[in-house]
């Protein structure tokens, strides 16, 4: 049974940075591609970035060049470094394996970008 604990969110001014962390358990972490997702108020949840077991990465266009996804298999943790944050990045951010757990969502971490 997969479980994830997301952390690192907060309130930040436009142009600022945050680093999100996601500790996963209940799975063979190193074998899973992981993804960060977000849900903004009044909008559907969307995929933001993914990282494969081999550390290949993917980003949606709106975060390319600003966000970096990484993983530490020894710590069963995936990270999302977010730079040059914009108000439209405001959302609850979630992580989970990108396959096999379609209905699972953790508690997420709130990111608010506002002056």
């Amino acid at each position: 049974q997969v479980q994830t604990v997301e952390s690192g969110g907060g309130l930040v001014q436009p142009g600022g940075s945050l680093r999100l962390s996601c500790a996963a358990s209940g799975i063979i972490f190193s074998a899973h591609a992981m993804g960060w997702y977000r849900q903004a108020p009044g909008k559907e949840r969307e995929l933001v970035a993914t990282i494969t077991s081999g550390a290949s990465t993917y980003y949606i266009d709106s975060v390319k060049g600003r966000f970096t996804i990484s993983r530490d298999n020894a710590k069963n943790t995936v990270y999302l470094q977010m730079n040059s944050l914009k108000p439209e990045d405001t959302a609850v951010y979630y992580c989970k394996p990108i396959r096999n757990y379609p209905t699972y969502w953790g508690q997420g971490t709130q990111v608010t970008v506002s002056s």
Side-chain angles (χ1 to χ4, degrees), residues 47-48 58-66:
L47 178 66
V48 175
Y58 161 83
Y59 302 92
I60 58 173
D61 286 346
S62 61
V63 308
K64 280 182 182 176
R66 300 190 297 122

Side-chain angles (χ1 to χ4, degrees), residues 1-3 24-28 101:
Q1 186 80 359
V2 63
Q3 287 193 328
S25 61
I27 59 172
I28 302 174
Y101 301 96

Side-chain angles (χ1 to χ4, degrees), residues 61-102:
D61 286 346
S62 61
V63 308
K64 280 182 182 176
R66 300 190 297 122
F67 290 12
T68 302
I69 189 171
S70 62
R71 65 191 297 159
D72 184 338
N73 289 337
K75 296 182 178 180
N76 287 3
T77 300
V78 59
Y79 304 97
L80 188 68
Q81 177 67 44
M82 305 187 296
N83 299 328
S84 302
L85 282 161
K86 304 176 180 180
E88 51 264 43
D89 295 317
T90 294
V92 179
Y93 284 72
Y94 305 86
C95 79
K96 70 170 190 173
I98 64 172
R99 298 183 184 89
N100 299 329
Y101 301 96

Side-chain angles (χ1 to χ4, degrees), residues 16-68:
S17 298
L18 285 173
R19 188 193 194 206
L20 306 184
S21 299
C22 168
S25 61
I27 59 172
I28 302 174
F29 180 80
S30 60
H32 283 269
M34 298 294 293
W36 280 99
Y37 303 75
R38 66 186 179 187
Q39 186 167 22
K43 295 187 177 181
E44 291 191 354
R45 195 171 289 158
E46 66 173 348
L47 178 66
V48 175
T50 66
I51 185 165
T52 69
S53 56
S56 296
T57 58
Y58 161 83
Y59 302 92
I60 58 173
D61 286 346
S62 61
V63 308
K64 280 182 182 176
R66 300 190 297 122
F67 290 12
T68 302

